[in-house]
């Protein structure tokens, strides 16, 4: 029987500090109602030092405030939750656009932190599509029986590349990390199929130059995001001959609630089946899909049919059709 890669565990990490719309009102010319109507976002989490840490003596070693802090905490929670023996982890893929360093990779930093001394670890950069790309890669290692225990993480510290004087961008993004465990499954559960695309035509609409803030042409990104998320979701549903009524959950990239609403309407899926977390966490880029899985894990039942769909800079996009493997 053909082996599938199934999600066997999920965890996540979000910072305690909440950046609300009301706090943003003090920084830029905006208001809570305008932000909610435009994006659906009420608050987002930001990785920052606590007031107590600021008062500490300079001589003491600085605590890690890069995004690997979130990755490590998320993974340690998953290891404890699933009682994972870290020496048996074969592969760690970290999807991020805000790594701690250009090199070494965040993957290697995590391997060291959790003592995954036998793992093959690296980073992948595909903007918001990165996590699904990493899942697809990880699934192939499982299906070919090369590896048996894989960790995939999606994380970004978007606050590090956002200009908080830019009204259009700073309201959208937050920081956070989510991690999943992939293992072999012989019961026809797990990742059934995936589609990944990247055409490069959108490079001028959404990008970040070295040592600069993120740039986004909101109108064009919105238009392309809706069209591509609709198309790629429909494509994977049609390819696998699944009726939309039989899909239990759609988990789209959490970029903007208006985008999510447009996508769910265009593919004609019941709104109750659409997972939405952007209101609490904002757009965490590589973190949106795993954080959504983690946040709503209790809703999923064994055998549930789930569609994951993403859209990111490039433009890049991806979709995964999976059958949930546990209660």
């Amino acid at each position: 029987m053909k082996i599938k890669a199934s999600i066997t565990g999920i965890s996540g990490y979000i910072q305690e500090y909440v950046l609300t719309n009301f706090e943003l009102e003090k920084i830029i010319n905006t208001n809570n109602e305008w932000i909610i109507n435009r994006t659906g976002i009420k608050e987002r989490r930001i990785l920052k030092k606590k007031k107590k840490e600021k008062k500490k003596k300079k001589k003491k070693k600085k605590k890690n405030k890069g995004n690997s802090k979130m990755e490590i905490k998320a993974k340690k929670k998953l290891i404890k939750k699933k009682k994972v023996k870290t020496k048996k982890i074969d592969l760690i893929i970290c999807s991020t656009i805000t790594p701690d360093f250009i090199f070494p990779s965040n993957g290697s930093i995590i391997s060291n932190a959790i003592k995954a001394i036998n793992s093959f670890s690296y980073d992948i950069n595909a903007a918001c599509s990165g996590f699904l790309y990493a899942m697809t890669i990880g699934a192939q290692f499982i299906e070919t029986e090369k590896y048996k225990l894989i960790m995939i993480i999606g994380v970004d510290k978007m606050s590090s590349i956002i200009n908080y004087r830019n009204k259009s961008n700073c309201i959208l993004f937050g920081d956070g990390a989510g991690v999943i465990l992939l293992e072999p499954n012989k019961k026809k559960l797990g990742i059934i199929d995936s589609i990944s695309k990247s055409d490069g035509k959108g490079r001028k609409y959404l990008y970040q130059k070295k040592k600069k803030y993120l740039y986004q042409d909101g109108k064009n990104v919105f238009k392309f995001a809706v069209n591509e998320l609709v198309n790629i979701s429909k494509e994977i549903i049609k390819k696998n001959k699944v009726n939309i009524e039989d899909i239990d959950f759609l988990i789209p990239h959490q970029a903007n609630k208006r985008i999510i609403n447009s996508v769910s309407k265009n593919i004609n899926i019941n709104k109750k089946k659409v997972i939405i977390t952007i209101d609490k966490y904002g757009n965490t880029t590589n973190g949106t899909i795993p954080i959504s899985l983690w946040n709503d894990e209790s809703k999923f039942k064994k055998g549930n049919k789930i569609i994951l769909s993403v859209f990111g800079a490039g433009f890049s996009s991806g979709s995964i059709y999976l059958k949930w493997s546990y209660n």
Side-chain angles (χ1 to χ4, degrees), residues 2 4 143 188 190-196 231-244 246-247 305-309 319-323:
K2 189 175 180 181
K4 296 292 182 184
E143 289 168 4
K188 297 182 180 180
I191 297 173
I192 306 302
D193 196 11
S194 65
I195 301 171
S196 301
N231 291 338
I232 204 161
S233 298
K234 284 183 175 180
E235 184 178 347
I236 200 159
I237 289 169
K238 183 179 179 180
K239 184 182 175 186
N240 288 278
K241 299 178 181 179
V242 184
N243 293 324
I244 191 66
D246 295 330
I247 298 299
K305 296 175 180 178
I306 300 174
I307 299 292
L308 313 176
S309 292
S319 191
I320 283 176
Y321 168 49
L322 63 85
K323 292 181 181 178

Side-chain angles (χ1 to χ4, degrees), residues 50-97:
K50 296 178 183 178
K51 290 181 180 179
K52 289 182 180 180
E53 291 175 354
K54 289 181 179 179
K55 294 179 181 179
K56 288 182 179 179
K57 293 180 180 180
K58 292 181 180 179
K59 291 182 181 179
K60 288 190 176 181
K61 187 178 179 182
K62 291 182 179 179
K63 289 190 175 183
N64 173 19
K65 294 299 171 185
N67 80 10
S68 66
K69 173 191 174 178
M70 296 185 287
E71 296 173 302
I72 292 165
K73 284 185 174 290
K75 288 210 167 182
K76 284 184 175 179
K77 285 169 67 177
L78 181 57
I79 288 165
K80 184 177 181 180
K81 177 181 175 181
K82 300 298 295 183
K83 298 180 181 179
V84 177
K85 294 181 180 180
T86 56
K87 289 182 180 180
K88 291 189 175 182
I89 297 173
D90 298 305
L91 172 64
I92 295 173
I93 307 177
C94 173
S95 56
T96 184
I97 60 169

